[in-house]
């Protein structure tokens, strides 16, 4: 995992599948970053060719965390089936909507625009 802060948008890139054994540690690391940076929004880039259920589990947990902090979360993944899975499970009445993109640059630009508009 790597991260960068771009115009108050925390961009987190998951390069590898976290696996079942390390997904809790990865979520804890991301949670620490969110609390430390207090970003305006968060973008998660799934850089794996085919993200697994472990990666999606981390995304869902980050979405719940950020929703509780009133932060918009965007996800970028090249995988159309993963985008559909995320979209199908993203809308709940208690959460802020998860924004899903095919490209990382689009996700970052959209999050930056939302931040500037706020």
């Amino acid at each position: 995992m790597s991260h960068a802060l771009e115009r108050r948008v925390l961009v987190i890139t998951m390069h590898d599948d976290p696996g079942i054994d390390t997904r809790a540690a990865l979520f804890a690391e991301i949670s620490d970053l969110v609390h430390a940076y207090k970003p305006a929004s968060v973008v998660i880039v799934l850089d794996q060719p085919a993200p697994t259920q472990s990666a999606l589990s981390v995304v869902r947990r980050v979405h719940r965390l950020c929703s509780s902090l009133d932060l918009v979360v965007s996800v970028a993944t090249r995988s159309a089936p993963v985008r559909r899975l995320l979209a199908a499970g993203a809308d709940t009445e208690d959460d802020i909507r998860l924004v899903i993109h095919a490209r990382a640059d689009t996700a970052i630009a959209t999050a930056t625009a939302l931040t500037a508009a706020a």
Side-chain angles (χ1 to χ4, degrees):
M1 180 193 78
S2 62
H3 73 279
L5 190 64
E6 297 183 25
R7 298 184 196 144
R8 296 191 59 224
V9 175
L10 179 60
V11 181
I12 298 166
T13 303
M14 293 173 52
H15 301 283
D16 300 310
D17 176 49
I20 292 171
D21 297 335
T22 59
R23 67 183 173 188
L26 178 61
F27 171 73
E29 189 176 348
I30 293 170
S31 176
D32 289 346
L33 288 169
V34 169
H35 285 96
Y37 284 108
K38 295 181 178 38
S41 59
V42 176
V43 171
I44 300 173
V45 180
L46 299 175
D47 204 24
Q48 312 96 338
T52 65
Q53 286 299 324
S54 292
L56 298 181
S57 172
V58 172
V59 168
R60 288 182 190 108
R61 290 183 69 187
V62 170
H63 179 225
R64 283 192 300 273
L65 167 71
C66 290
S67 289
S68 72
L69 299 171
D70 292 326
L71 298 175
V72 173
V73 178
S74 300
V75 177
T77 178
R78 294 176 299 237
S79 171
V82 170
R83 288 194 305 273
R84 285 191 295 274
L85 277 172
L86 287 169
D91 291 326
T92 64
E93 60 186 61
D94 294 333
D95 289 339
I96 294 173
R97 186 174 167 267
L98 181 64
V99 183
I100 304 162
H101 296 276
R103 296 177 22 186
D105 60 339
T106 305
I108 295 167
T110 302
T112 301
L114 288 172
T115 299

